[in-house]
Amino acid sequence: MDFEESFHPLESQAPDAYTEAVEAYCHGILRLHWNERLINKIFGRALQSHAAGRLVVQHFQWQREGAPRPTLALLQRQAGSGGRTLATFFAVLRLAGMVSAAPDAADRRVRYLVPGPRLLDGLRTWVVHHLQCAEALGVLARGHAARLGADADYFESFLCRADTILDRLAAHRGHFGGWDWFDQREGGGRVAMLLLREHCRTTAARVGGPAPLFPLRAQELAERLGFSHSHVRNLVNDATAEGLLTQDGRRGLVALTPRFEADLRHWLQHVLGWFAEAAQAANRSPQPHARR
């Protein structure tokens, strides 16, 4: 299947079905970050989140398929830039107990990075939400999300195929307009998710008319995600100047512009397709001779 093309199952969904599925997806992702100040700080930017993903993928490709075992140097080469930033990022992950380091038996100077249970549990829940949304929109057959949540072998097999998701995210950086604009800023992806969730909730209760306005509640959002109120307000004001949002400052309301709404749909359409492809590939993967 060519994921450069539009997904007909996603595009053909009735508006209410699409809105309901996307609202549930955004809500599920946001719940992972609500009141998790440390998580939001550590994974505040896409570069860090994708680097953590690369670590997990490389670890299970090593265990199950004999790929090189992940080291900081290997992950820095894969990233291609931001080497010093990644060194600091993985040091923070180690301090937070999400990653550990294991010495090489033959060369004590070499230290391998090992993902911990907390990182893996959070990643599993995050992937399940993507697969649930893909299933709800008809991009993926029912049952993959439930299986991934309950079957450790299938989860590991999915992770071995998930490098295709990371590769495509890197290749498509800058292709998703407003989503990329938010995702490049600290905490921007979370804020964009909340805006999309509230847009869907307001749309579901609206009959016709222009794009719905909804309360931003910037102070609550800042407190729940662990950012300053001024950071959230500046992000929203800058997004408005970029033509991604409209505001009714007197009433404290915002709305997505048609351009931003289209950008988000385009981004979601592609990302869910990539997750669906990885889930289907994992379903076809043979039983590995795993290293333990």
Side-chain angles (χ1 to χ4, degrees), residues 13 22 28 71 77 106 112 131 147 157 188 202 215 262 278 286:
Q13 288 291 314
V22 174
T71 62
R77 288 197 300 271
Y112 300 109
L131 298 189
R147 182 183 173 193
S157 182
T202 308

Side-chain angles (χ1 to χ4, degrees), residues 102-112:
D104 185 281
D107 186 347
R108 303 290 291 184
R109 295 170 299 178
V110 177
R111 301 185 71 80
Y112 300 109

Side-chain angles (χ1 to χ4, degrees), residues 79-134:
S81 62
R84 184 173 298 179
T85 300
L86 289 186
T88 302
F89 169 65
F90 283 114
V92 171
L93 286 185
R94 289 180 61 186
L95 287 173
M98 297 182 191
V99 169
S100 60
D104 185 281
D107 186 347
R108 303 290 291 184
R109 295 170 299 178
V110 177
R111 301 185 71 80
Y112 300 109
L113 296 175
V114 183
R118 187 180 181 191
L119 180 60
L120 294 175
D121 289 345
L123 180 59
R124 185 200 293 258
T125 304
W126 185 77
V127 173
V128 165
H129 285 308
H130 284 74
L131 298 189
Q132 286 173 336
C133 191

Side-chain angles (χ1 to χ4, degrees), residues 6-23:
S6 295
F7 274 98
H8 295 296
L10 177 59
E11 293 295 339
S12 66
Q13 288 291 314
D16 55 344
Y18 174 85
T19 299
E20 181 179 340
V22 174
E23 185 275 327

